[in-house]
Amino acid sequence: MAENAGEEFSRPRPVPPSEEGGRPEDELRLFSRFVRENESTIFTYVLRLVGRREDAEDLTAETFLRAFRTWRRVQPEADGYIKWCLRIAHNLAVDHCRKQRPALVGE
């Protein structure tokens, strides 16, 4: 994506759950916004690791599912949410690649 000279691109930072009421519907809305803002980043990263679009789609969905399960407990700093999801995605992709690797003779 090309940026205009002199313009800075900044992605809106998700608001941690503790900053906005803490009601389940508020947290679901915040998480949904977080997914919309970061889905392509996670997908692209996973696709580069696993190489197959179908696998990357499944692993991206699993990444956000796992992230949602711990959304209330994890409160990383400022840009930490995306880093946290990238770590989940990375671990899932590595596990996936290990399972796809052909077994060596004698294992």
Side-chain angles (χ1 to χ4, degrees):
M1 177 185 316
E3 294 181 27
N4 294 335
E7 286 185 32
E8 284 189 39
F9 176 77
S10 65
R11 197 173 288 239
R13 176 180 78 82
V15 179
S18 61
E19 291 180 22
E20 232 186 76
R23 296 188 340 238
E25 57 273 12
D26 290 340
E27 292 187 19
L28 181 57
R29 183 176 45 78
L30 289 171
F31 188 78
S32 295
R33 185 177 81 193
F34 174 76
V35 170
R36 283 191 309 274
E37 292 171 356
N38 295 288
E39 185 174 25
S40 64
T41 300
I42 299 293
F43 174 77
T44 302
Y45 179 70
V46 173
L47 182 59
R48 288 181 183 188
L49 292 174
V50 300
R52 288 190 61 227
R53 183 173 196 80
E54 297 81 14
D55 293 338
E57 289 169 352
D58 292 344
L59 293 169
T60 298
E62 182 64 24
T63 296
F64 285 114
L65 179 61
R66 290 188 184 191
F68 183 71
R69 288 180 182 151
T70 59
W71 179 254
R72 288 175 159 226
R73 292 181 283 152
V74 176
Q75 295 200 1
E77 301 162 11
D79 292 332
Y81 284 107
I82 186 63
K83 292 175 185 174
W84 165 58
C85 280
L86 285 167
R87 174 53 52 194
I88 293 170
H90 178 85
N91 292 343
L92 286 169
V94 167
D95 289 346
H96 172 79
C97 290
R98 283 183 185 141
K99 290 176 186 174
Q100 300 301 312
R101 180 178 64 189
L104 298 175
V105 175
E107 281 190 10

